[in-house]
Amino acid sequence: MRKKNKIAILPGDGIGPEVIKETYKIINVLNRYFNLNIQTKEYDIGGIAIDKYGIGLPEETIVGCEKSIAILLGSIGGPKWNYLPLHQQPERSGLLNLRKKFGFFCNLRPAKLYPELRKLSPLRKEIVSNGFNILCIRELTGGIYFGLPKGTKKNGKNKYAFDTEIYYEFEIERIAHVAFQIAQKKKLRITSIDKANVLESSILWRKTIEKVSKKYPNVILSHLYIDNAAMQIIKNPSQFDIILTSNLFGDILSDECAMITGSIGMLPSASFNENKFGIYEPAGGSAPDIQNKNIANPIAQILSLSMLIEYSLKKPKISRCINKSIKNVLKKGYRTLDIANDKEKYITTEEMGNLISEFLIKEYEKNEKNVISKNI
Ligand code: NAD
């Protein structure tokens, strides 16, 4: 009997349900043609969960996720819930609690500029003529966002505030292993980013990365200071394969990398815990400004599914077929509004989902039939 691949689907708010709907079309093709036995069940999170249950992360959602092989998330939040106190708002009470509950310490954000879309990049043509493909690997549960003590105090009349950047060796080691394993498998170079000329935590970061690298002698490792890295990404993004960095630096650099692709609707992400359990979601938010207009780009969501197929279902060849079908749709000139050259000529969210499904079937028929069926 074929193994059941249970996925918890959390559509969430805003454009989340719209782009998730397109992802189901891909899942249907994967089940029918690629012999993946994916079973899905939907659960509420974020604003919609607050409306139904009064909390952003209901117990039913947690249990559903625990019973699944991976989580596919749409997006969370919107102006409707802005009136709530901060800790009750959808992102905090839903998404941050979910991340905390499962201990997702490692965040992967690929920032790929397709040659077909290079006009979207705010960088000059000659800098991005070959496109680029950077995988940002960010530590997600340590560092200054969680370090204690933090607070605001008074010294006489002078008010001051402080945070603590703290990293345990084990926290650096575990994310380094994830990065080196990916680099080894995909034959990629790693650039580790820190501020080891100033910060104690960065000195430990660099030493630990060096130590872990000894176990992966085939992987090329280099180090950059954060200030230089921020410049190099703009000057020559194609020099990077994997950027490995801390929570704070990763927060900033992953957005910089996203920005230079010029298309938030194209960017997926994945986060993992120590058991390699993963959550997959678009890098963008719930885009309330375009909600219910059938103009959202579903590609970030479909690429998030593709990452799930690669990392949680361990079917990299099938994931490559999905990616290739997206590339072929773009090559043929099809664009949603956000990535359209001509703002008069664009296809809808639903049309983009249909086209990617059709191209995925072609991908199956054309190239991969034999290879894929042998590798199921
Ligand atoms: P956003 O990413 O939702 O939107 C920024 C811009 O990008 C908007 O113009 C939007 O239309 C566009 N955009 C985003 N995704 C798109 C897509 N798939 N196709 C086409 N265009 C797309 O960021 P924001 O406006 O700052 O936040 C809106 C809401 O989303 C807020 O409530 C915020 O808290 C929430 N948010 C959620 C997540 C998450 O669920 N992980 C992440 C970021 C923001």
Side-chain angles (χ1 to χ4, degrees):
M1 214 171 70
R2 277 184 310 153
K3 190 177 141 211
K4 278 184 200 160
N5 292 312
K6 276 193 195 171
I7 300 179
I9 300 210
L10 282 42
D13 309 313
I15 61 166
E18 296 171 48
V19 287
I20 285 284
K21 195 173 137 210
E22 300 314 304
T23 312
Y24 282 120
K25 294 176 183 168
I26 309 301
I27 292 174
N28 288 341
V29 174
L30 294 176
N31 281 347
R32 186 150 167 221
Y33 291 85
F34 291 77
N35 209 20
L36 286 186
N37 192 5
I38 296 175
Q39 296 192 347
T40 59
K41 189 149 186 223
E42 280 195 7
Y43 301 93
D44 293 314
I45 189 167
I48 188 164
I50 291 171
D51 289 352
K52 280 194 196 170
Y53 306 89
I55 45 169
L57 183 63
E59 186 59 25
E60 199 182 318
T61 302
I62 297 173
V63 174
C65 292
E66 281 169 345
K67 285 186 186 156
S68 304
I69 194 166
I71 306 169
L72 185 68
L73 174 71
S75 52
I76 286 179
K80 185 179 172 193
W81 299 280
N82 281 353
Y83 72 93
L84 289 167
L86 207 55
H87 70 281
Q88 284 176 21
Q89 288 200 2
E91 267 193 289
R92 286 232 176 172
S93 69
L95 190 54
L96 294 192
N97 277 344
L98 186 72
R99 285 183 182 153
K100 205 159 129 195
K101 168 82 198 156
F102 286 97
F104 294 121
F105 72 90
C106 168
N107 179 239
L108 264 53
R109 264 183 45 181
K112 177 170 175 163
L113 180 67
Y114 295 81
E116 295 80 12
L117 299 183
R118 60 176 173 247
K119 273 195 188 154
L120 297 175
S121 174
L123 297 182
R124 280 204 318 269
K125 198 168 79 191
E126 57 273 28
I127 296 177
V128 294
S129 55
N130 296 325
F132 55 80
N133 193 359
I134 306 173
L135 179 60
C136 291
I137 301 186
R138 166 186 170 195
E139 203 289 325
L140 207 58
T141 50
I144 200 161
Y145 293 169
F146 298 95
L148 294 174
K150 63 165 74 215
T152 308
K153 285 193 175 171
K154 259 191 169 176
N155 186 358
K157 280 187 185 162
N158 294 322
K159 197 188 244 189
Y160 66 99
F162 54 97
D163 298 279
T164 304
E165 168 81 353
I166 177 167
Y167 265 110
Y168 285 88
E169 199 176 22
F170 81 90
E171 292 178 302
I172 308 169
E173 275 174 6
R174 67 182 177 182
I175 191 144
H177 281 293
V178 176
F180 277 96
Q181 280 160 17
I182 293 172
Q184 197 167 48
K185 211 179 265 176
K186 299 191 172 199
K187 300 191 169 52
L188 299 174
R189 297 157 299 171
I190 294 180
T191 310
S192 173
I193 313 287
D194 60 41
K195 189 72 182 167
N197 50 345
V198 178
L199 300 176
E200 287 291 330
S201 53
S202 277
I203 294 171
L204 181 65
W205 179 276
R206 193 175 279 217
K207 274 188 187 155
T208 310
I209 301 288
E210 282 287 343
K211 191 177 81 187
V212 173
S213 77
K214 303 278 182 288
K215 296 204 165 94
Y216 304 87
N218 302 332
V219 177
I220 298 172
L221 169 69
S222 59
H223 303 274
L224 277 183
Y225 297 135
I226 175 67
D227 38 352
N228 189 13
M231 292 193 287
Q232 292 298 328
I233 289 170
I234 291 174
K235 195 173 160 211
N236 178 15
S238 62
Q239 70 181 287
F240 296 105
D241 289 339
I242 290 177
I243 282 178
L244 169 61
T245 192
S246 64
N247 203 345
L248 174 65
F249 297 156
D251 194 3
I252 298 161
L253 290 187
S254 59
D255 271 7
E256 186 186 357
C257 291
M259 183 62 222
I260 58 170
T261 68
S263 53
I264 191 77
M266 302 279 303
L267 302 177
S269 79
S271 304
F272 303 107
N273 69 11
E274 296 220 38
N275 302 321
K276 301 207 166 130
F277 181 66
I279 180 167
Y280 302 83
E281 57 181 308
S286 61
D289 54 330
I290 56 166
Q291 185 182 350
N292 295 329
K293 293 185 177 159
N294 200 13
I295 55 171
N297 189 343
I299 293 181
Q301 190 73 62
I302 294 172
L303 284 171
S304 302
L305 173 72
S306 176
M307 290 185 86
L308 185 156
I309 306 290
E310 176 177 0
Y311 291 103
S312 288
L313 268 57
K314 306 213 167 17
K315 303 284 182 201
K317 289 192 175 102
I318 298 180
S319 165
R320 278 203 291 278
C321 286
I322 302 173
N323 300 350
K324 214 162 164 203
S325 62
I326 291 171
K327 198 172 163 48
N328 287 340
V329 168
L330 296 174
K331 256 190 191 162
K332 290 271 178 200
Y334 297 109
R335 306 277 188 271
T336 43
L337 180 60
D338 56 315
I339 54 171
N341 294 328
D342 178 351
K343 296 293 174 200
E344 301 294 312
K345 263 171 66 187
Y346 63 88
I347 61 170
T348 63
T349 309
E350 285 175 355
E351 285 166 338
M352 183 56 96
N354 292 343
L355 278 165
I356 297 172
S357 316
E358 284 163 28
F359 276 70
L360 184 56
I361 297 171
K362 281 189 200 154
E363 207 51 47
Y364 173 78
E365 288 166 348
K366 205 169 56 189
N367 303 315
E368 307 282 348
K369 198 170 180 175
N370 297 328
V371 187
I372 290 162
S373 47
K374 273 184 210 148
N375 281 287
I376 293 296

